[in-house]
Amino acid sequence: MSESSADKMRKFGIRDLYNMYRSRGWKLPVMYIFENLLYDFTRGVSTHQYLQPDELQIVGPNAEHSVLYMSSWTRVIRKSTRQAVSALRLLNGEPISLVDVGSGKGKVLLVWEEMYKDRIKFPILGIEFSPILSAVCIANLKKVNAQNSQLYEGDVLEFPLETLNSNVVFYMYNPFDQVIMDKFLHKVKAVMPKDSNIIFIYNNSTHDESLINFGATEIVNEKSWHPNGQYKIYRL
């Protein structure tokens, strides 16, 4: 699936901004422009346009658990990542893994590249199940000549967690339903070493009870007038 054929599925226009205004007032379209459209325009990438679950072309036994694709706001990625990395309390030179679970079109990976490109010696990892989103993500990474990002194209439940460093930050923008969330967390607890230092960033956190039930502790709760601006950070 090429990037051009993926983007033909849905076009963004003035009517979309008008619909945002009708649903939430002037603040939502303004935020969308500054947090999504402006980022894409200045980098020459395409991450902002949402896709419904039935547009993601996912096949396999877990396809029914897919959810709407929506990109994170730029400032949320930056702020939450700084807080999460700080919460790891790393010593200088300690290895770390940054993993975006449900990478979509690659917005989080692109922002991480900008944040850490001059200071990291570890890969930035993305996991994406949808072939149509993976194609756009790969194209976006090429456009900015990303040097540190790698994309795993497949089911998160099949991702080799044992390849990660013991210090890891998982970023999630409501990537799947509670069924897969529970299975993913179970795998993290079962596979990762017991002494691992694990932080979850959960943007638009929909299934907080899953993290709590698996023993995660909430350390940050960023509230917002809109779900895209809201996130929690958990330590497992």
Side-chain angles (χ1 to χ4, degrees), residues 36-45 114 144:
N36 292 52
L37 288 174
L38 187 60
Y39 182 91
D40 283 6
F41 177 76
T42 56
R43 275 75 172 178
V45 297
E114 294 179 358
V144 301

Side-chain angles (χ1 to χ4, degrees), residues 168-183:
V168 57
V169 173
F170 290 105
Y171 187 101
M172 302 182 294
Y173 178 99
N174 188 29
F176 28 65
D177 68 8
Q178 190 168 0
V179 172
I180 302 301
M181 175 67 83
D182 287 344
K183 291 181 178 180

